Amino acid sequence: NFTNCTTVILLTFQTNVLTELRKWKLSLIEHHKVQMRQEKEKYAAHVRQLSNEMENLKELLRTYEISIGRKDEVVITNLTQALERQKEKTELMRKFTLWRIQHVKAKQEEYANRIADRQFRTALMKKVWAAWRSLSEEKWKEKVAKACQLRAEDVCVQLTNDYEAKIAELTATLEQTKAEILRLHSEREQYEDTMKKAFMRGVCALNLEAMTMFQGK
């Protein structure tokens, strides 16, 4: 009867421990989902910004087409091709940014799930071990408890080191992504400045030709 009672108590305790650990695991996964949702919102804002920029470029293209509709066809063709290349480059940059964000997000989710599983198994081992140890004899309990404590500390230290290393890796990847986005923005601004200067040179050249023609007449 004592053995049966002890078994029932142990099973009940194990069931409660497993329930609490599952709740803790779900809470950790929900926390990572919130972080992923925030990253998606940041990405959506960035995509909206890129879309607005593309609309501005389209509006600029329409303005150029109206203002130089009767001028040199070569200049019109060059400007149109430059704007199309700029639109293609902006679209490529948007797709590349999307791919990088999705790639980093997938790695973060995978690593978060793996860490959650590891911590869940470690916590479960500790809880079960504590319940079983309380029912053991004193001398044997002290000896095994000391060995298991050392093992658990080693596992915790290893998990902590792995987690910190992975965080450093993901942080470096994120910084590289940010640097790449800044570089692409800088190239785009330089390209727009060059295009504006080329357009102004074309307009000046057309004005000089017009003045020459009028003076000749």
Side-chain angles (χ1 to χ4, degrees), residues 73-87:
E73 291 297 328
V74 176
V75 176
I76 295 175
T77 301
N78 292 336
L79 288 175
T80 303
Q81 291 176 352
L83 288 173
E84 289 297 329
R85 287 194 297 268
Q86 178 64 23
K87 288 168 60 178

Side-chain angles (χ1 to χ4, degrees):
N1 292 333
F2 177 76
T3 303
N4 293 334
C5 183
T6 303
T7 303
V8 170
I9 293 173
L10 180 58
L11 290 176
T12 302
F13 182 78
Q14 288 178 347
T15 301
N16 293 334
V17 169
L18 289 173
T19 302
E20 291 299 322
L21 290 175
R22 289 191 187 99
K23 291 180 180 179
W24 176 78
K25 180 181 179 180
L26 292 174
S27 177
L28 180 61
I29 292 175
E30 186 63 26
H31 174 69
H32 285 287
K33 286 182 179 179
V34 170
Q35 291 182 339
M36 293 303 102
R37 193 180 302 112
Q38 292 175 353
E39 290 295 329
K40 288 181 180 179
E41 292 174 355
K42 291 181 181 178
Y43 165 71
H46 183 65
V47 170
R48 287 194 297 269
Q49 181 181 358
L50 291 176
S51 299
N52 292 333
E53 292 176 357
M54 289 182 64
E55 290 298 326
N56 292 334
L57 289 174
K58 290 179 181 179
E59 186 64 27
L60 180 62
L61 175 60
R62 287 192 292 268
T63 302
Y64 286 166
E65 289 175 349
I66 294 173
S67 64
I68 60 175
R70 296 183 179 180
K71 294 182 181 180
D72 191 354
E73 291 297 328
V74 176
V75 176
I76 295 175
T77 301
N78 292 336
L79 288 175
T80 303
Q81 291 176 352
L83 288 173
E84 289 297 329
R85 287 194 297 268
Q86 178 64 23
K87 288 168 60 178
E88 292 174 359
K89 186 175 181 180
T90 303
E91 182 65 21
L92 288 175
M93 183 176 68
R94 187 185 69 81
K95 291 180 179 179
F96 176 76
T97 303
L98 173 62
W99 176 83
R100 291 299 297 270
I101 291 176
Q102 291 177 345
H103 181 67
V104 172
K105 181 182 68 175
K107 290 179 66 178
Q108 288 177 343
E109 290 179 348
E110 179 184 359
Y111 184 71
N113 291 332
R114 188 164 62 251
I115 290 299
D117 290 338
R118 286 184 182 178
Q119 292 179 347
F120 175 79
R121 290 194 298 269
T122 301
L124 179 61
M125 289 173 59
K126 289 181 180 180
K127 294 293 184 181
V128 173
W129 165 246
W132 178 78
R133 186 181 61 180
S134 64
L135 301 176
S136 302
E137 296 179 357
E138 287 297 324
K139 292 182 180 180
W140 183 82
K141 177 181 64 178
E142 292 176 359
K143 183 177 178 180
V144 177
K146 192 172 294 184
C148 288
Q149 182 179 1
L150 293 175
R151 177 58 181 167
E153 289 176 356
D154 292 338
V155 171
C156 290
V157 170
Q158 183 63 38
L159 288 175
T160 301
N161 293 335
D162 293 343
Y163 186 76
E164 291 177 353
K166 195 64 180 179
I167 287 177
E169 180 183 353
L170 292 175
T171 301
T173 302
L174 185 59
E175 291 298 326
Q176 291 177 359
T177 303
K178 291 180 179 179
E180 183 67 16
I181 291 174
L182 290 175
R183 185 183 66 79
L184 291 174
H185 275 293
S186 178
E187 290 181 0
R188 185 189 63 188
E189 291 174 356
Q190 293 177 359
Y191 187 85
E192 290 177 350
D193 184 63
T194 302
M195 184 180 65
K196 290 178 181 178
K197 290 180 179 179
F199 174 73
M200 293 303 298
R201 287 196 297 268
V203 172
C204 291
L206 290 173
N207 290 335
L208 289 174
E209 290 178 2
M211 290 177 62
T212 302
M213 182 179 65
F214 288 142
Q215 289 175 357
K217 289 183 179 180

